Amino acid sequence: MVNSYPDLARLEGVSKTYTSDTGPTDALSRISLSLGNSETVAIVGPSGCGKSTLLLVLAGLEKPTSGSVTFKGQKLDRPPREAALVLQDYGLFPWKTVRQNVELGLRIRGEAADESRLQDLLGELDIASKIDDYPQQLSGGQKQRVALARAFILNPALLLLDEPFAALDTLTRERLQELLARAWRKRGFGMALVTHNIEEAARLGKKIVVMQGSPGRISKMIDNSMACDKDYEESDLFYDMCQNVRRELEDVT
Ligand code: ADP
């Protein structure tokens, strides 16, 4: 049966306290959030309010101290096979070529890459000519395209991105945002994106979660259903949305 679970991922009353030699740090307090199939959510808020922690909890890489996390209706107790994580620093292996980096996740799963699918994907991401290059031969934007290819080839139901374009110049950043929106229109994965960039949140998050405080909690959930639509950012509605998010952020910083 298709879609027999109501949500792709769901957090209920999630709190997270890190313990280290310097003592405990409360990172999240009673976060409840659901992400539907093919839904996209952008998470914004000041530094230290727990955005990355929230993403790691969704990825099954950090366990909540209390509360529950489910993925496709099942309790999440390890990273789900159907989730892919893209980080700001690309996470590419410098001694591997573009092809080897993209194939890595599949190889870890014991699967082989289908050659025509790999070529199509690299073409879609405009890095086909770089297939035998090493990461140090690529620009920052190209490296992040490789990281996206490595995620997309896994066909994830859930794509998690932590400040993926923060290190890139504005134009490259906007191109990659559009590329990501296009990939979402084509594939319809669920997506959670942490960003500091207001326009990025408005372009990509159908739901915009504004976090605040330490430990972090959700201060506002903004409906932004036109995100990822092709013509949205040409409209006044997009401008108004950016202003709205800006106001909410000013209130919490
Ligand atoms: P954000 O992504 O919003 O900047 P983080 O989730 O990175 O926030 O961090 C939230 C809080 O948790 C911060 O106080 C941070 O110092 C702390 N923190 C994050 N990761 C760890 C960790 N591995 N061990 C201890 N404290 C951590």
Side-chain angles (χ1 to χ4, degrees):
M1 194 200 303
V2 177
N3 196 7
S4 55
Y5 39 86
D7 299 302
L8 183 59
R10 176 181 280 271
L11 277 68
E12 300 245 27
V14 163
S15 298
K16 171 73 186 176
T17 300
Y18 289 104
T19 42
S20 63
D21 296 346
T22 52
T25 305
D26 294 326
L28 295 175
S29 171
R30 302 177 63 79
I31 302 279
S32 293
L33 177 68
S34 71
L35 181 66
N37 288 292
S38 297
E39 189 173 34
T40 69
V41 58
I43 303 160
V44 297
S47 285
C49 73
K51 302 179 297 299
S52 297
T53 301
L54 177 56
L55 210 67
L56 292 173
V57 168
L58 270 169
L61 292 167
E62 285 289 354
K63 285 196 191 322
T65 312
S66 59
S68 74
V69 190
T70 52
F71 181 77
K72 290 192 166 181
Q74 303 289 315
K75 184 176 184 303
L76 186 68
D77 45 19
R78 62 194 148 114
R81 204 178 151 86
E82 292 175 79
L85 184 61
V86 176
L87 303 170
Q88 181 185 339
D89 66 1
Y90 323 119
L92 304 181
F93 290 105
W95 59 89
K96 289 186 183 288
T97 63
V98 165
R99 171 195 288 278
Q100 290 166 338
N101 268 291
V102 172
E103 288 179 347
L104 194 67
L106 283 175
R107 288 195 185 282
I108 289 170
R109 284 183 178 179
E111 295 170 23
D114 176 273
E115 186 60 28
S116 70
R117 192 156 163 258
L118 179 76
Q119 294 288 349
D120 284 354
L121 189 55
L122 295 184
E124 177 187 340
L125 293 167
D126 211 12
I127 43 171
S129 63
K130 306 287 177 192
I131 190 162
D132 295 319
D133 285 3
Y134 288 86
Q136 63 269 25
Q137 297 170 270
L138 306 177
S139 68
Q142 287 166 339
K143 284 182 198 163
Q144 201 53 302
R145 286 168 191 261
V146 176
L148 288 171
R150 187 170 61 189
F152 292 159
I153 206 161
L154 298 173
N155 228 348
L158 176 60
L159 184 64
L160 301 163
L161 306 109
D162 195 352
E163 292 275 3
F165 310 137
L168 307 175
D169 64 83
T170 309
L171 204 60
T172 306
R173 182 176 193 138
E174 286 177 6
R175 285 202 183 117
L176 283 172
Q177 288 165 359
E178 173 46 28
L179 186 148
L180 187 54
R182 204 169 355 123
W184 176 83
R185 292 196 290 272
K186 185 171 168 187
R187 295 179 176 81
F189 39 73
M191 175 161 79
L193 163 90
V194 168
T195 181
H196 275 102
N197 184 287
I198 292 171
E199 285 78 19
E200 188 165 293
R203 272 189 197 112
L204 296 169
K206 288 183 175 289
K207 208 148 74 181
I208 301 175
V209 173
V210 183
M211 291 181 65
Q212 72 169 108
S214 180
R217 58 185 178 80
I218 294 177
S219 69
K220 187 90 178 180
M221 195 94 82
I222 304 171
D223 182 36
N224 180 41
S225 59
M226 285 179 70
C228 293
D229 279 12
K230 232 174 166 173
D231 304 321
Y232 181 33
E233 65 188 274
E234 309 300 329
S235 72
D236 290 345
L237 288 172
F238 179 76
Y239 176 79
D240 293 345
M241 178 55 64
C242 291
Q243 293 296 95
N244 187 4
V245 177
R246 191 177 307 278
R247 268 193 305 273
E248 293 296 339
L249 277 172
E250 278 165 5
D251 284 352
V252 298
T253 46

